[in-house]
Amino acid sequence: MQRRTFIQTTAAATVGFAAAPLIKVLGKDKKYTTALIGSGWWGGNILRCAIQAGESKVVALCDVDENQIKATLEEVKKLSGDTPKIYRDYRELLAKEKPEIVIVATPDHWHPLIAIAAMKAGAHVYVEKPICHTINEGKAMVKAARDTQRIVQVGTHRRASPHNISGMQFLKSGKAGKIGSVRAFVHYPGGPGKKTPDAEAPSTLDWNMWCGPAPLRAYNPTMHPKGFRSYLDYANGQLGDWGIHWMDQILWWTEEKHPKKVYSTANRFIREDSTDAPDTQNVLFEFETFTASWEHRLYAGNEAEKTNIGCYFYGTEGTFHMGWLDGWTFYPSDTKKQIIHEAPKLDEPDQQNIAALWADFLTSIKTNKLSMCDIEVGQRSTNMSLLGMLSWKLGRSVEWDGEKGLIKNDAEANKLLSRAYRGEWVYPTV
């Protein structure tokens, strides 16, 4: 069976409860007042899972785009019966509503300020990955979580996915042997594209607030909604988006918390559109006991490679592929042994496992124990991606002191751990 056919067949067979109309769960003792900040496509996915869990009363929605917030408001009314208040400024929402839970699903460059403000306002936070745009923002987020003693869950939901959990059990059992290298990758088809002229922002969008602490640049229709990840003022390209999921799988498997040396090369060899993130990137991470690599390209989709996404763990007993839509597969070195495969179990409509991660978040709030994707776990995974981008921008390798959160003997590189904020916005205290 061809890879594409296999993926379509497998995905169709794994439709979870989220594909059906959401039903309010009864009999819950406590409903947490919940607010969503960033009410677009992905924020809506998270909020649906919160509503479905039956332990949230949605009190507020916040977004700088009127079209997004109106659509989400109508859906919340239908799914839960709640009529949340709507806001354009998250600060006003936090001051007036004082929610117990805040979901932060904005573009990346907004995550730190909003998440920290929510923690300081007393809320537990579910923040999307990557947690930040620069490394010191993440350090400030961890500090805020510990200072306020709030539960902070990061949206690296593969830690809650059944096949990822069983795959990690397989790897940690030693059945793949001693692993000396890991290759993480995402390869998507595509082409050069074309330039899209800048334009006047829609009247329904507060573009100045959308840019917030990041540089204010001309609005481009390819940036919002959804396209911001390919613009480096607001995100960190494919490595900052997809990469963090697979960096997280590497750190989940190993006992080590940080790479000690990182080198990246990247470029735009194919793309000719209005974005500025690399279409081709390779990163090498040196750990104490193994080497990891990342590679992506946004072109040349093909049927020559078995899969286009995931991690290959190379061990003395065989090669293990941790995937997404195709589950996991172990290829023994001894060709007389059978290949072992586990199919994925994924929830629709987006073939993710957000509901399980939300359930863990609620359990952590009730027990006051760190969640499976605690902010410090998310910070370490985010740092791997950000270090790759930092090395590429510098044009050289960097030595990382993960415990101190500094690059060794490199003042120029350490300047890139933060960036200047615009206007009234103040960079968070580390």
Side-chain angles (χ1 to χ4, degrees):
M1 183 182 289
Q2 289 185 321
R3 176 178 59 82
R4 185 177 295 121
T5 307
F6 170 76
I7 287 174
Q8 288 172 345
T9 304
T10 304
T14 58
V15 176
F17 55 77
L22 298 180
I23 300 172
K24 195 172 179 180
V25 180
L26 301 177
K28 301 293 184 181
D29 295 331
K30 164 75 176 176
K31 283 208 170 186
Y32 297 94
T33 55
T34 301
L36 171 64
I37 301 175
S39 62
W41 161 66
W42 195 253
N45 286 344
I46 302 167
L47 190 61
R48 284 184 211 105
C49 291
I51 293 169
Q52 183 177 13
E55 296 185 56
S56 282
K57 176 178 175 57
V58 185
V59 296
L61 304 173
C62 181
D63 205 291
V64 297
D65 186 330
E66 290 179 16
N67 292 332
Q68 286 193 162
I69 206 166
K70 286 178 181 177
T72 304
L73 175 62
E74 292 308 309
E75 186 171 16
V76 169
K77 288 178 180 178
K78 290 177 184 177
L79 294 177
S80 69
D82 297 333
T83 304
K85 294 179 181 177
I86 60 175
Y87 294 87
R88 271 202 175 189
D89 192 317
Y90 71 93
R91 294 167 296 185
E92 184 183 3
L93 182 156
L94 294 173
K96 290 185 176 180
E97 303 299 330
K98 297 182 172 27
E100 295 168 284
I101 291 176
V102 169
I103 301 166
V104 182
T106 60
D108 301 357
H109 67 285
W110 265 117
H111 291 173
L113 286 182
I114 297 173
I116 291 171
M119 290 180 236
K120 290 182 176 179
H124 301 291
V125 175
Y126 183 114
V127 61
E128 256 312 309
K129 44 59 54 184
I131 66 166
C132 52
H133 189 273
T134 57
I135 286 173
N136 280 342
E137 291 170 321
K139 191 186 293 187
M141 293 170 80
V142 173
K143 182 179 185 300
R146 301 301 179 246
D147 288 348
T148 60
Q149 299 184 7
R150 297 294 84 191
I151 298 298
V152 182
Q153 181 83 292
V154 179
T156 42
H157 48 79
R158 279 170 179 76
R159 291 228 177 188
S161 297
H163 82 265
N164 294 84
I165 292 170
S166 67
M168 281 297 156
Q169 291 169 346
F170 184 95
L171 287 170
K172 292 182 183 222
S173 74
K175 292 176 182 176
K178 185 176 181 180
I179 293 166
S181 66
V182 185
R183 179 170 69 94
F185 57 96
V186 172
H187 300 312
Y188 277 142
K194 60 182 180 180
K195 293 282 187 184
T196 301
D198 292 338
E200 186 176 345
S203 60
T204 53
L205 173 66
D206 184 341
W207 181 243
N208 180 66
M209 188 65 170
W210 189 98
C211 293
L216 177 63
R217 56 151 291 169
Y219 170 79
N220 190 286
T222 62
M223 297 173 69
H224 173 81
K226 290 189 181 182
F228 68 92
R229 293 197 188 277
S230 293
Y231 288 87
L232 296 180
D233 280 336
Y234 312 107
N236 279 283
Q238 190 78 322
L239 178 55
D241 178 19
W242 258 118
I244 183 181
H245 282 296
W246 305 108
M247 302 300 101
D248 191 60
Q249 295 290 294
I250 294 169
L251 291 176
W252 187 7
W253 157 73
T254 182
E255 298 291 325
E256 299 185 47
K257 294 182 178 180
H258 320 278
K260 62 180 185 177
K261 196 170 184 178
V262 181
Y263 173 70
S264 176
T265 181
N267 214 318
R268 287 173 62 85
F269 293 117
I270 304 297
R271 284 202 162 183
E272 299 174 1
D273 57 15
S274 299
T275 66
D276 59 5
D279 61 28
T280 309
Q281 186 162 17
N282 295 79
V283 190
L284 191 64
F285 301 94
E286 182 181 326
F287 286 81
E288 290 290 343
T289 59
F290 68 100
T291 296
S293 65
W294 163 263
E295 58 184 62
H296 80 248
R297 64 170 184 271
L298 303 179
Y299 52 89
N302 62 76
E303 293 295 339
E305 296 162 298
K306 286 182 179 292
T307 185
N308 70 327
I309 194 166
C311 288
Y312 280 113
F313 293 82
Y314 298 98
T316 53
E317 296 298 317
T319 298
F320 179 97
H321 172 247
M322 181 74 84
W324 172 29
L325 300 179
D326 42 2
W328 65 258
T329 307
F330 178 63
Y331 304 90
S333 297
D334 184 348
T335 55
K336 294 177 184 177
K337 294 182 178 179
Q338 257 193 330
I339 293 171
I340 303 171
H341 175 75
E342 181 168 318
K345 296 180 182 69
L346 302 167
D347 297 334
E348 296 295 340
D350 290 292
Q351 298 171 323
Q352 312 290 357
N353 294 95
I354 303 170
L357 192 59
W358 186 267
D360 176 76
F361 180 45
L362 292 177
T363 298
S364 295
I365 292 171
K366 293 169 189 174
T367 61
N368 197 32
K369 293 181 180 179
L370 297 182
S371 58
M372 66 168 61
C373 296
D374 171 60
I375 184 64
E376 195 168 349
V377 172
Q379 179 207 22
R380 291 197 290 264
S381 302
T382 298
N383 280 351
M384 281 188 68
S385 293
L386 297 184
L387 286 167
M389 295 301 287
L390 189 150
S391 170
W392 165 57
K393 291 172 184 177
L394 283 171
R396 62 174 181 274
S397 62
V398 294
E399 291 189 57
W400 179 240
D401 185 331
E403 295 305 317
K404 293 182 179 178
L406 293 170
I407 294 166
K408 296 180 181 179
N409 306 315
D410 195 332
E412 182 185 6
N414 279 314
K415 288 179 182 177
L416 297 181
L417 299 181
S418 304
R419 70 168 175 173
Y421 273 6
R422 181 175 67 94
E424 65 183 287
W425 308 103
V426 178
Y427 197 90
T429 302
V430 176

